[in-house]
Amino acid sequence: MKKFVVAALIRAVRTLAQTAIATIGTTALLSEADWKVVASASVLAAILSILTSIATGLPEVDGEKGAHEE
């Protein structure tokens, strides 16, 4: 279980960072970024990543399909 949680959190943090970079990248200047939109989109993406990991499992975790099967 611990291996699954660590792997899911690593994926969620990566997804959060990717979404933040993509959202910031849509503005012409960094000072024009709507930081509330960046934060909310990034957190939502991280939550969705965790839920997807729970629902489908993680290939990097040997033998575990997801928390719902434990």
Side-chain angles (χ1 to χ4, degrees):
M1 177 69 171
K2 182 180 178 183
K3 190 174 181 180
F4 177 84
V5 171
V6 170
L9 288 176
I10 289 171
R11 275 186 180 224
V13 169
R14 287 180 183 163
T15 301
L16 182 138
Q18 291 169 343
T19 304
I21 291 167
T23 307
I24 293 167
T26 62
T27 62
L29 298 172
L30 192 59
S31 61
E32 294 177 5
D34 185 346
W35 295 107
K36 289 180 183 178
V37 171
V38 172
S40 64
S42 300
V43 169
L44 178 60
I47 291 169
L48 291 174
S49 173
I50 290 171
L51 292 175
T52 301
S53 295
I54 291 170
T56 62
L58 297 170
E60 62 265 33
V61 179
D62 297 329
E64 293 187 37
K65 296 292 183 188
H68 65 283
E69 295 183 11
E70 294 180 9

